[in-house]
Each structure stands twice: as structure tokens, then as C-alpha cells.
């Protein structure tokens, strides 16, 4: 089992706590990345949003790709999984950027391909926002271009969304970046099982996650493709007593519909296709992280992690608040005991 974490480029994960003591600045994310290597974390996911989804659209957020390049230069082992949205990037230009970052941190760059969901963000940045299945059709072409220009020169492509003529991309990446993606619609699962290497999921129980993994494995086998890697989002609370766990849960889940990010949450629900309804409780900490159930005593978390491992989960993408202090606690109480 590998342990990853979301880089807090939004200043935190809680929609009801204004200041989580996680500054939205370079010095904090640099400190977090470097410390995480010593704590036993394997990868970090850098989300890509030009507006702050958690704290509200007026709040600051860091840009994903420049942050990823900077972190590549100041870390030694950490896999840097950076989100990318085809709507916002020309594929050949993005492939060039990604190849350059991969050469800064050889073999450590991976991409989390996201087909977008936030209409207001797109329009505020002057971009056309397409319907759900159209976004996935665009992503298919986008991936065709990106993966081919990484592997060969003099590549040409003539699609509905993208055209490339005799492309030459040099230098190539040290290693072709691993491609992750997530999504629960039929369009998403078909695309991911065909063109990606890993499937990342919002938080849920081991039973539901296991069913999704089994479904994706069947799809891969039917297409004659190699096995995928599977990851799950989770919000962690580890305490010595169940009473202390409940106290912390109460603190982070008393979000109100008047919270700054609530309107963004409504747009996310409208712009995506999910297998289950999402409650305001789920929304309070992002990415349905509480459904994963990584809250409890060290022994309870160790058992829960084992249940996910049994159904085929390869890694977690964790959130916590305040991030650095809670990652220290989780490492000492959980990661180090599983080594």
C-alpha cells in the first residue's frame, strides 16, 4: 500500500473553517513536500483549479503546473501527480511542459486527467464550457495527441478538436508519465479503462470501491490491456480514543449552506455524473473523503486500510487539517506501523 496526499493549494480542505493554518504560498507547499518524503509518503496530487473551490472564488489558490515544476526541483523521491484539464491546455504544448518537468525529476511526474466540471471558472477565464460527454470526447483526442508526441517524432493528427502537423517534441520525457483519471459516468469509465494507467476514486466504503475496481478490471481484460493501479481519496483523523475522534468530526462537519464554497458545490453536482447522492456532510471535507472511513484509533485505521487493500486498492490520496501536523500524526500512528 502506498500513501499519497493532496497538496493544499487552496489553503485547506474544510469549508466551515476559515483559517486552517495552511498558508496558500510556496514556502508552505515546499516544506510539506520535503517533509512528506521523510514521513514515508509516496506521492502528492496537485489539483488544477484557477479559482478556489474550497474557500470560495475570492480566496487565493496556487497554479498547478508552475507549482509542480518547482516541487520537482526540490524533492528527491516523491511522485508528483499533477492534475490537467484538456479544456484548458493545448495537448502538444502541455506534452512539452510535462516532458520538461519529467526531466527535472526523472520518472517522477504523473498526470491526473480531469475532464472539467466548473462552468463559472471556465467562463471567467474566457474558455468555452462543453457538455459532459463532449468533454470526454475532447479528452479522448487530447490523450491521443499527448501520448503520441511523447513517444514519436513527426507525428500528425487530424481530429474534431485537435490538429497537429509533423510534430517534433525534443527532448522526450525521461519516462512516459503515468496517466491517472477518475469518473463514475459510463463515458468516463470507458475512456479511462481504454486510455489511462490508473483509476482514482472519490471516497467510499471498501465494498463499493471493490465493486468499482472489479468493474474496471473486467473492462481492461475485455480490451486486452494490462492491469491498472487503483487509488482512493480519504480524509484522515487518527486519535487515541473514539471520543476524541468524534470531537474532531463534529468540528469539521458543521458546515452550513451559507459557506463560501457552497455555490461551487452546487455547480459541481450539476456538472458531473455520480453513482450516488452527495450529502452536505460529504461536501464538508471535499472529495467524499469521510466516506472512506479513515477516522479512528490507530488500530481501527490499520484494519480499515487492510480492508481496502483486500479489494485491490493500491494507494490512498489523503487530506487532513492542519495538513502538516496531521500527516506527522498519521505517519507515526499508521504508516510506520505498516512498514
Amino acid at each position: 500500500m502506498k500513501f499519497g496526499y493532496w497538496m493544499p493549494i487552496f489553503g485547506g480542505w474544510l469549508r466551515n473553517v476559515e483559517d486552517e493554518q495552511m498558508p496558500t504560498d510556496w514556502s508552505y507547499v515546499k516544506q510539506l513536500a520535503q517533509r512528506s518524503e521523510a514521513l514515508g509518503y509516496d506521492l502528492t496530487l496537485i489539483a488544477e483549479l484557477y479559482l478556489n473551490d474550497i474557500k470560495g472564488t475570492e480566496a487565493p489558490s496556487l497554479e498547478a503546473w508552475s507549482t509542480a515544476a518547482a516541487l520537482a526541483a526540490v524533492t528527491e523521491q516523491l511522485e508528483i501527480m499533477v492534475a490537467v484539464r484538456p479544456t484548458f491546455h493545448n495537448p502538444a504544448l502541455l506534452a512539452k511542459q510535462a516532458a520538461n518537468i519529467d526531466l527535472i525529476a526523472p520518472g517522477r511526474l504523473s498526470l491526473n486527467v480531469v475532464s472539467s466540471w466548473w462552468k463559472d471558472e471556465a467562463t471567467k477565464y474566457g474558455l468555452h464550457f462543453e457538455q459532459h460527454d463532449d468533454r470526454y470526447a475532447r479528452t479522448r483526442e487530447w490523450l491521443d495527441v499527448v501520448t503520441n508526441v511523447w513517444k514519436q517524432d513527426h507525428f500528425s493528427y487530424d481530429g474534431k478538436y485537435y490538429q497537429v502537423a509533423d510534430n517534433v517534441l525534443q527532448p522526450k520525457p525521461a519516462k512516459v508519465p503515468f496517466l491517472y483519471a477518475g469518473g463514475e459516468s459510463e463515458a468516463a469509465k470507458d475512456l479511462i479503462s481504454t486510455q489511462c494507467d490508473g483509476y482514482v476514486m472519490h471516497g467510499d466504503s471498501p465494498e463499493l470501491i471493490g465493486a468499482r475496481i472489479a468493474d474496471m478490471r473486467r473492462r481492461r481484460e475485455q480490451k486486452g490491456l494490462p492491469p491498472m493501479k487503483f487509488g482512493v481519496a480519504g480524509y484522515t483523523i487518527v486519535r487515541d480514543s473514539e471520543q476524541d475522534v468524534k470531537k474532531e468530526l463534529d468540528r469539521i462537519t458543521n458546515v452550513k449552506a451559507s459557506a463560501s464554497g457552497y455555490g461551487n458545490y452546487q455547480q459541481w453536482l450539476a456538472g458531473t455524473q455520480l453513482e450516488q447522492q452527495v450529502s452536505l456532510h460529504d461536501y464538508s471535507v471535499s472529495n467524499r473523503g469521510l466516506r472512506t472511513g479513515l477516522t479512528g484509533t490507530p488500530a481501527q485505521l490499520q484494519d480499515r486500510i487492510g480492508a481496502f487493500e483486500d479489494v485491490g486498492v493500491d494507494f490512498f490520496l489523503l487530506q487532513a487539517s492542519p495538513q502538516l501536523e496531521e500527516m506527522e500524526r498519521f505517519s507515526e500512528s499508521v504508516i510506520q506501523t505498516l512498514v
Side-chain angles (χ1 to χ4, degrees), residues 1 206 300-311 316 338:
M1 180 66 69
Q300 289 172 330
L301 263 64
Q302 291 160 20
D303 289 344
R304 187 70 168 179
I305 289 166
F308 279 102
E309 192 166 24
D310 288 344
V311 300
F316 288 103
L338 297 174

Side-chain angles (χ1 to χ4, degrees), residues 134-209:
D134 292 331
R135 297 199 301 275
Y136 278 94
R138 175 184 291 277
T139 299
R140 284 184 182 277
E141 289 195 9
W142 190 92
L143 285 168
D144 283 342
V145 174
V146 168
T147 55
N148 276 286
V149 299
W150 278 336
K151 296 174 182 177
Q152 60 180 292
D153 283 335
H154 304 290
F155 173 74
S156 297
Y157 189 86
D158 185 15
K160 176 182 178 181
Y161 300 96
Y162 301 108
Q163 295 78 42
V164 173
D166 195 30
N167 174 272
V168 174
L169 190 157
Q170 287 292 342
K172 301 293 186 193
K175 181 180 178 181
V176 173
F178 201 88
L179 297 175
Y180 301 93
E184 297 177 14
S185 69
E186 180 58 31
K189 289 184 284 191
D190 182 64
L191 179 145
I192 296 164
S193 62
T194 303
Q195 293 182 272
C196 296
D197 309 300
Y199 185 46
V200 289
M201 294 163 275
H202 290 305
D204 248 319
S205 67
E207 294 76 17
L208 290 172
I209 294 298

Side-chain angles (χ1 to χ4, degrees), residues 51 58 64 74 83 104 144 178 185 241 249 322 327 332 334 339:
L51 298 176
E58 302 296 322
V74 298
I104 296 171
D144 283 342
F178 201 88
S185 69
S241 72
L249 276 169
M327 284 175 62
E332 180 180 354
V334 180
V339 173

Side-chain angles (χ1 to χ4, degrees), residues 2 42 72 76-81 98-111 172-178 180:
K2 291 187 175 182
D42 301 285
E76 297 180 356
Q77 304 165 8
L78 199 65
E79 178 184 341
I80 300 170
M81 182 198 300
N100 203 61
I101 296 174
D102 188 70
L103 291 167
I104 296 171
R108 292 197 286 121
L109 179 72
S110 59
L111 273 61
K172 301 293 186 193
K175 181 180 178 181
V176 173
F178 201 88
Y180 301 93

